[in-house]
Amino acid sequence: MSYIKCNPNWPLDKFLTLLSQDKILKPPGFPEYDANKDWCGPADNPKLAEMIPEKLLGVSVSVAGYRHDLHYAMGKRLRPRWCRPQYIWRLLCDQRFRADLMTLVKRSNLNKADMKLAKRFAKMYYWAVRLGGWKHCER
């Protein structure tokens, strides 16, 4: 089977399609997506992971967390050539995480006021990842 290197510029739907077709190159041992698993928060710090939400006002953001974890787990050789440096890769992964959060919130059936609040939470979530995620991204 031919695998494709993951591109953080792919919109969420393209990523999900390629993921469902098992066409994305993943690091050895990286698990398959499981909607019942908590993908939001660091796996090496259960206490911190417990504090990090997997839902924003009831909207599951688990798939965004999975994609972000997958991207962070990719070392240089698994990245497209144009974005191999770690600082560029991490920025793109974090920005994609924010975009995925926004997509999931926009597709939800939240009322207008809750939608606005969920978008604010998504932005705060993004900044928390930007500030604390540096030590979890492969070099």
Side-chain angles (χ1 to χ4, degrees):
M1 177 180 279
S2 175
Y3 292 102
I4 303 168
K5 289 185 178 184
C6 211
N7 185 331
N9 289 329
W10 291 338
L12 184 59
D13 291 336
K14 180 172 183 172
F15 172 79
L16 292 173
T17 299
L18 292 170
L19 184 67
S20 70
Q21 296 170 349
D22 194 30
K23 290 188 175 182
I24 297 174
L25 181 63
K26 296 181 195 132
F30 197 86
E32 296 297 320
Y33 176 66
D34 178 355
N36 297 314
K37 184 176 176 185
D38 181 3
W39 295 101
C40 301
D44 62 347
N45 190 336
K47 288 181 182 179
L48 180 58
E50 199 173 293
M51 294 172 49
I52 298 172
E54 54 191 288
K55 291 184 179 182
L56 297 178
L57 292 177
V59 178
S60 175
V61 294
S62 180
V63 73
Y66 175 80
R67 183 178 185 181
H68 190 258
D69 287 355
L70 174 60
H71 284 167
Y72 261 36
M74 294 181 168
K76 276 186 183 181
R77 68 175 190 80
L78 297 177
R79 300 175 191 158
R81 180 171 289 156
W82 59 270
C83 59
R84 284 197 176 144
Q86 195 255 3
Y87 66 95
I88 293 172
W89 180 252
R90 184 171 164 258
L91 176 63
L92 292 171
C93 294
D94 292 350
Q95 288 176 340
R96 173 47 53 194
F97 178 65
R98 180 182 58 199
D100 289 349
L101 292 175
M102 293 298 187
T103 297
L104 293 167
V105 167
K106 287 176 185 174
R107 290 181 180 171
S108 73
N109 58 358
L110 293 174
N111 64 46
K112 191 175 180 178
D114 286 345
M115 176 90 56
K116 188 174 183 179
L117 186 57
K119 287 178 183 179
R120 285 185 181 157
F121 283 134
K123 289 176 186 175
M124 290 184 341
Y125 205 155
Y126 163 78
W127 282 110
V129 167
R130 283 300 298 151
L131 292 171
W134 60 270
K135 63 184 174 181
H136 300 284
C137 188
E138 287 293 320
R139 300 223 177 267

